[in-house]
Amino acid sequence: MLSACATATASQSGGTGTKRGTTVAPPHLVVTTGPKHTRVFHNVFDPSVIDASSGIYLGWVFAHPGSAQSRSAVVRIDRANAKVLSTNVLAGSIEAGVATNRHLWITSSNAPSKAILYEFNADNLTLTRTIPLIGTDPGTSMATTNSYLWVSEGDQLLRIDRRDANLRKQVKLTAAFSATVSTDTQDHLLVVAIANRGGQGRIEIRSGANANLIGTSASLNGVYAPRTAAVGKNIWISEATGNMGYVSRYRLRGLTPTVAGCPSSLLTNSPTCILGSNGLQVNASHQLIFLSQVAGGGARNACIDPSNGSIVAQLPLAPTDQLLTIGHSHLFVMTQTRRENVVELPIPSACLGG
């Protein structure tokens, strides 16, 4: 059994806008070795994982989920031996996160329409800055391009300079209630997906330097802003339509779907118009597209060729597993038994792609 404990207390210091206050001790993190030498991170409620060059970052809610007193723990874990290297605590539940060479950025929400962007030192998890966010919806996503961190929040797109964490630009997104942001493979373009309050949305391509609009798709149907994943000349989206969901491939040039009208009837299926539950999602990693859906079977838990949707290999997920993150060499999966655990599973070799 491999066990690691987080014993340091949270610290908040330095940086303009940092909220100083009393320290809070995070809970212990217990790690064990599971079947086939996989690692299991135990008792982590509402977990999130970032696998970066500086280490593995695991966050989870440990106090009063959903209340004004909710708190989340964040730990940096050594990739080789799963020991906790550093730790901290933040208010609220984690919405999104991204790691760069020197910084870990996390957004959290502590109440409806109230979100905060935290900047941590990537090595020791010292909190260096907090930035209040003021969008119409607390749901956020993040992407990095060159020197900038882009944050989508409600009807806004925020550009933050990664060198000094100053907010440099705010872009209003027309007719938006929720939005997600990602980048193309070369990190030169922003892929922004937008939804309004009435079940209509669109995809936009914007400049990675200044978010100027380059192109927009025709209207598409759904209940929230689609998740997007771009590889090469294609963008894949996943969208929920109520009890069901779908995945569709769009051409980066022109933003046209490769199956016209997908999903026009929710009765047809093709390699580039894939139907499933409202939990069907796409992610881009290793130059491939990863499909995931709880209890979705091999056809909806697989890595696929981004150019045509053909299955490259199935993912080793159990029916109750939920894919959280695709790392350098492992999948991070949430399993639900009596308590929520995160399990590290090797990525199938065929899915390591280019």
Side-chain angles (χ1 to χ4, degrees), residues 217-295:
S217 72
S219 178
L220 54 91
N221 295 323
V223 296
Y224 57 79
R227 178 191 290 260
T228 63
V231 177
K233 299 179 180 179
N234 298 289
I235 301 170
W236 288 76
I237 71 163
S238 53
E239 177 63 278
T241 61
N243 292 326
M244 300 185 72
Y246 68 96
V247 161
S248 180
R249 181 178 66 131
Y250 279 69
R251 299 177 182 89
L252 184 63
R253 186 182 180 127
L255 289 176
T256 55
T258 55
V259 175
C262 174
S264 57
S265 65
L266 289 181
L267 296 175
T268 58
N269 208 359
S270 76
T272 59
C273 181
I274 303 166
L275 311 181
S277 76
N278 59 9
L280 179 62
Q281 293 188 342
V282 289
N283 290 278
S285 187
H286 302 283
Q287 297 300 306
L288 296 172
I289 294 295
F290 284 69
L291 296 175
S292 63
Q293 178 189 306
V294 175

